[in-house]
Amino acid sequence: MHFTKLSPSLHYVDIRVALKSFVDCLEFRIAHDEIHSPNPFCVVEKDGLGILIFQDKNLARQFSPEIRLVTPDIDEVYARVASKFPEMLHPNLSKVTLRPWGAKEFALVDGQIGIIIQQW
């Protein structure tokens, strides 16, 4: 068995929150746009990663996932995010921190999901 990509689906009460997190803050690009449709939806992509984002109040209230994005240069990502979007840094992991399991991490929160940026 062989897999080449994982594309999670995330549900938001307001899709604009997701766009701020992924497009504005983390610099993903919108690869498919149905944002202004009756059932707002889009696909964002960056560096071969794809995320399906849906505006669905019911599912968003049921699920608040946490995702991890792994990078080879966490200090560069942190510097860019912290300078432009300091309000999105998670209060419990707002600085690059070496964790007991050996990864360096910091975290973002946008009110719907948690995003952990990680370097091994």
Side-chain angles (χ1 to χ4, degrees):
M1 212 179 311
H2 178 75
F3 301 100
T4 60
K5 189 175 179 180
L6 174 67
S7 299
S9 295
L10 302 176
H11 298 90
Y12 278 78
V13 171
D14 183 347
I15 200 166
R16 292 174 296 179
V17 173
L19 295 176
K20 179 181 178 188
S21 297
F22 289 100
V23 176
D24 298 343
C25 180
L26 296 173
E27 301 176 356
F28 279 66
R29 68 175 185 81
I30 297 172
H32 179 81
D33 182 347
E34 293 184 33
I35 296 166
H36 301 290
S37 71
N39 297 303
F41 161 75
C42 69
V43 177
V44 295
E45 293 182 340
K46 181 177 180 69
D47 301 327
L49 305 174
I51 301 171
L52 291 78
I53 299 173
F54 299 87
Q55 181 170 294
D56 186 312
K57 292 178 184 176
N58 293 328
L59 289 175
R61 288 185 179 123
Q62 291 178 17
F63 303 103
S64 295
E66 176 182 280
I67 65 169
R68 293 176 188 272
L69 295 172
V70 178
T71 179
D73 191 352
I74 197 167
D75 295 317
E76 186 245 339
V77 175
Y78 178 80
R80 290 176 78 152
V81 170
S83 70
K84 294 180 181 179
F85 298 91
E87 73 280 4
M88 293 184 69
L89 294 170
H90 194 292
N92 295 336
L93 198 55
S94 62
K95 303 279 185 212
V96 175
T97 304
L98 180 61
R99 307 297 276 176
W101 44 90
K104 291 168 65 176
E105 298 178 348
F106 75 95
L108 305 172
V109 65
D110 66 11
Q112 184 63 49
I113 70 167
I115 303 167
I116 297 174
I117 310 297
Q118 185 176 64
Q119 178 181 333
W120 285 95

